[in-house]
Coordinates of all heavy atoms in Angstrom, one line a residue:
R1 N -4.3 18.1 -2.6 CA -4.2 17.2 -1.4 C -4.6 15.8 -1.8 O -4.0 14.9 -1.3 CB -5.0 17.8 -0.2 CG -4.8 17.1 1.1 CD -5.7 17.7 2.2 NE -5.3 19.1 2.4 CZ -4.4 19.5 3.2 NH1 -3.7 18.6 3.9 NH2 -4.1 20.8 3.4
F2 N -5.7 15.7 -2.5 CA -6.2 14.4 -3.0 C -5.1 13.7 -3.7 O -4.8 12.5 -3.5 CB -7.4 14.8 -3.9 CG -7.9 13.5 -4.7 CD1 -8.8 12.7 -4.0 CD2 -7.6 13.3 -6.0 CE1 -9.4 11.6 -4.8 CE2 -8.1 12.2 -6.7 CZ -9.0 11.4 -6.0
T3 N -4.4 14.4 -4.6 CA -3.3 13.8 -5.4 C -2.1 13.4 -4.5 O -1.6 12.3 -4.5 CB -2.8 14.7 -6.5 OG1 -3.9 14.9 -7.4 CG2 -1.7 14.1 -7.3
R4 N -1.7 14.4 -3.6 CA -0.6 14.1 -2.8 C -0.8 12.9 -1.8 O 0.2 12.1 -1.7 CB -0.3 15.4 -2.0 CG 1.0 15.3 -1.1 CD 1.4 16.7 -0.6 NE 0.3 17.3 0.2 CZ -0.4 18.4 -0.2 NH1 -0.3 18.9 -1.4 NH2 -1.3 18.9 0.6
N5 N -1.9 12.8 -1.3 CA -2.1 11.7 -0.3 C -2.1 10.3 -1.0 O -1.7 9.3 -0.5 CB -3.5 11.9 0.4 CG -3.4 13.0 1.5 OD1 -2.3 13.5 1.7 ND2 -4.5 13.3 2.1
H6 N -2.7 10.3 -2.3 CA -2.6 9.0 -3.0 C -1.1 8.7 -3.4 O -0.7 7.5 -3.3 CB -3.4 9.1 -4.3 CG -4.9 8.9 -4.0 ND1 -5.7 9.9 -3.6 CD2 -5.6 7.8 -4.1 CE1 -7.0 9.4 -3.5 NE2 -6.9 8.1 -3.7
L7 N -0.4 9.7 -3.7 CA 1.0 9.4 -4.1 C 1.9 9.0 -2.9 O 2.8 8.2 -3.0 CB 1.7 10.6 -4.7 CG 1.0 11.1 -6.1 CD1 1.7 12.3 -6.7 CD2 1.2 9.9 -7.1
Q8 N 1.4 9.5 -1.7 CA 2.1 9.0 -0.5 C 1.9 7.5 -0.3 O 2.8 6.8 0.1 CB 1.5 9.7 0.7 CG 1.8 11.2 0.8 CD 3.2 11.6 1.4 OE1 4.0 10.7 1.6 NE2 3.4 12.8 1.8
L9 N 0.7 7.0 -0.6 CA 0.5 5.6 -0.5 C 1.3 4.8 -1.5 O 1.9 3.8 -1.2 CB -1.0 5.3 -0.6 CG -1.4 3.8 -0.6 CD1 -1.1 3.2 0.7 CD2 -2.9 3.7 -1.0
V10 N 1.3 5.3 -2.7 CA 2.1 4.6 -3.7 C 3.6 4.6 -3.3 O 4.2 3.5 -3.4 CB 2.0 5.4 -5.1 CG1 2.9 4.8 -6.1 CG2 0.5 5.2 -5.6
D11 N 4.1 5.6 -2.8 CA 5.5 5.7 -2.4 C 5.8 4.7 -1.2 O 6.8 4.1 -1.2 CB 5.9 7.1 -2.0 CG 6.0 8.0 -3.1 OD1 6.1 7.6 -4.3 OD2 6.1 9.3 -2.9
F12 N 4.8 4.7 -0.3 CA 4.9 3.8 0.8 C 5.0 2.4 0.4 O 5.9 1.6 0.9 CB 3.8 4.0 1.8 CG 3.9 3.4 3.1 CD1 4.6 4.1 4.1 CD2 3.4 2.2 3.4 CE1 4.8 3.5 5.4 CE2 3.5 1.6 4.7 CZ 4.2 2.3 5.7
V13 N 4.1 1.9 -0.4 CA 4.0 0.5 -0.9 C 5.3 0.2 -1.7 O 5.9 -0.9 -1.5 CB 2.8 0.2 -1.7 CG1 2.8 -1.2 -2.3 CG2 1.6 0.4 -0.8
T14 N 5.7 1.1 -2.5 CA 6.9 0.9 -3.4 C 8.1 0.7 -2.5 O 9.1 0.0 -2.9 CB 7.1 2.1 -4.3 OG1 5.9 2.3 -5.2 CG2 8.3 1.9 -5.2
A15 N 8.2 1.4 -1.3 CA 9.4 1.2 -0.5 C 9.4 -0.1 0.3 O 10.5 -0.4 0.9 CB 9.4 2.4 0.6
L16 N 8.4 -0.9 0.3 CA 8.4 -2.2 0.9 C 9.2 -3.2 0.1 O 9.3 -3.0 -1.1 CB 6.9 -2.6 1.1 CG 6.0 -1.8 2.0 CD1 4.6 -2.4 2.0 CD2 6.5 -1.6 3.4
S17 N 9.6 -4.2 0.7 CA 10.3 -5.3 0.0 C 9.2 -6.1 -0.6 O 8.0 -6.1 -0.3 CB 11.0 -6.2 1.0 OG 10.2 -6.9 1.8
P18 N 9.5 -6.9 -1.7 CA 8.5 -7.8 -2.3 C 7.7 -8.7 -1.3 O 6.5 -8.8 -1.5 CB 9.3 -8.6 -3.3 CG 10.4 -7.7 -3.7 CD 10.8 -7.0 -2.4
A19 N 8.5 -9.2 -0.3 CA 7.8 -10.1 0.6 C 6.8 -9.3 1.5 O 5.7 -9.8 1.8 CB 8.8 -10.7 1.5
Q20 N 7.2 -8.0 1.8 CA 6.3 -7.2 2.6 C 5.1 -6.7 1.8 O 3.9 -6.6 2.3 CB 7.0 -6.0 3.2 CG 8.0 -6.4 4.3 CD 9.0 -5.4 4.6 OE1 9.4 -4.6 3.7 NE2 9.3 -5.2 5.9
Q21 N 5.3 -6.5 0.5 CA 4.2 -6.1 -0.4 C 3.1 -7.2 -0.5 O 1.9 -7.0 -0.7 CB 4.7 -5.8 -1.8 CG 5.5 -4.5 -1.8 CD 6.2 -4.3 -3.1 OE1 6.2 -5.2 -4.0 NE2 7.0 -3.2 -3.2
Q22 N 3.6 -8.5 -0.3 CA 2.7 -9.7 -0.4 C 2.2 -10.2 1.0 O 1.5 -11.2 1.0 CB 3.4 -10.8 -1.2 CG 3.8 -10.5 -2.6 CD 2.6 -10.6 -3.6 OE1 1.5 -10.9 -3.2 NE2 2.8 -10.4 -4.9
F23 N 2.7 -9.6 2.0 CA 2.4 -10.0 3.3 C 0.9 -10.0 3.6 O 0.3 -9.0 3.4 CB 3.1 -9.2 4.4 CG 2.9 -9.7 5.8 CD1 3.7 -10.7 6.3 CD2 1.9 -9.2 6.6 CE1 3.5 -11.1 7.6 CE2 1.8 -9.6 7.9 CZ 2.5 -10.6 8.4
K24 N 0.4 -11.1 4.1 CA -1.1 -11.1 4.4 C -1.3 -11.6 5.9 O -0.8 -12.6 6.3 CB -1.8 -12.1 3.5 CG -3.3 -12.1 3.6 CD -3.9 -13.0 2.5 CE -5.4 -13.1 2.6 NZ -6.0 -11.7 2.4
A25 N -2.0 -10.7 6.7 CA -2.3 -11.1 8.0 C -3.8 -11.5 8.1 O -4.7 -10.7 8.0 CB -2.0 -9.9 9.0
G26 N -4.0 -12.8 8.3 CA -5.4 -13.2 8.4 C -6.2 -12.9 7.1 O -5.7 -13.2 6.0
E27 N -7.3 -12.3 7.3 CA -8.2 -11.9 6.1 C -7.9 -10.5 5.6 O -8.6 -10.0 4.7 CB -9.6 -12.0 6.5 CG -10.1 -13.4 6.9 CD -9.9 -14.4 5.8 OE1 -10.3 -14.1 4.7 OE2 -9.4 -15.5 6.1
K28 N -6.9 -9.8 6.2 CA -6.6 -8.5 5.7 C -5.9 -8.5 4.3 O -5.2 -9.5 3.9 CB -5.6 -7.8 6.7 CG -6.1 -7.7 8.1 CD -7.3 -6.7 8.2 CE -7.7 -6.4 9.6 NZ -8.8 -5.5 9.7
W29 N -6.1 -7.5 3.6 CA -5.5 -7.4 2.3 C -4.0 -7.2 2.4 O -3.6 -6.6 3.4 CB -6.2 -6.2 1.5 CG -7.6 -6.3 1.2 CD1 -8.3 -7.5 1.1 CD2 -8.5 -5.3 0.8 NE1 -9.6 -7.2 0.7 CE2 -9.7 -5.9 0.6 CE3 -8.3 -3.9 0.7 CZ2 -10.9 -5.1 0.2 CZ3 -9.5 -3.1 0.3 CH2 -10.7 -3.7 0.0
T30 N -3.3 -7.6 1.4 CA -1.9 -7.3 1.3 C -1.7 -5.9 0.9 O -2.7 -5.2 0.5 CB -1.2 -8.2 0.3 OG1 -1.6 -7.9 -1.1 CG2 -1.5 -9.7 0.6
A31 N -0.5 -5.4 0.9 CA -0.2 -4.0 0.5 C -0.5 -3.8 -1.0 O -1.1 -2.8 -1.4 CB 1.2 -3.6 0.8
L32 N -0.3 -4.8 -1.8 CA -0.6 -4.7 -3.2 C -2.1 -4.7 -3.4 O -2.6 -4.0 -4.3 CB 0.1 -5.9 -4.0 CG 1.6 -5.9 -4.1 CD1 2.1 -7.1 -4.9 CD2 2.1 -4.6 -4.7
Q33 N -2.8 -5.5 -2.7 CA -4.3 -5.5 -2.8 C -4.9 -4.1 -2.3 O -5.8 -3.7 -2.9 CB -4.9 -6.6 -1.9 CG -4.6 -8.0 -2.6 CD -5.2 -9.1 -1.7 OE1 -4.9 -9.2 -0.5 NE2 -6.1 -10.0 -2.3
Q34 N -4.3 -3.5 -1.3 CA -4.7 -2.2 -0.9 C -4.6 -1.2 -2.0 O -5.4 -0.4 -2.3 CB -3.9 -1.7 0.3 CG -3.9 -2.6 1.5 CD -5.1 -2.4 2.4 OE1 -6.0 -1.6 2.2 NE2 -5.1 -3.0 3.6
L35 N -3.5 -1.3 -2.8 CA -3.2 -0.4 -3.9 C -4.2 -0.7 -5.0 O -4.7 0.2 -5.7 CB -1.7 -0.6 -4.4 CG -1.0 0.6 -4.9 CD1 -1.1 1.8 -3.9 CD2 0.4 0.3 -5.3

């Protein structure tokens, strides 16, 4: 489960467009920074 949930996050971020991966709302981390 530990492995599967991490891979879910990787897949989710990978499915975003480059602009969405770099999107920053205020002080929140971008998707790439989350990863």
Side-chain angles (χ1 to χ4, degrees):
R1 191 179 297 273
F2 172 82
T3 297
R4 183 167 60 250
N5 286 356
H6 280 86
L7 294 180
Q8 293 277 14
L9 176 60
V10 172
D11 289 345
F12 192 84
V13 175
T14 300
L16 300 175
S17 69
Q20 288 166 325
Q21 292 168 358
Q22 296 280 5
F23 182 87
K24 186 174 179 64
E27 296 302 314
K28 299 292 185 181
W29 294 340
T30 68
L32 291 184
Q33 287 179 308
Q34 302 276 6
L35 212 57

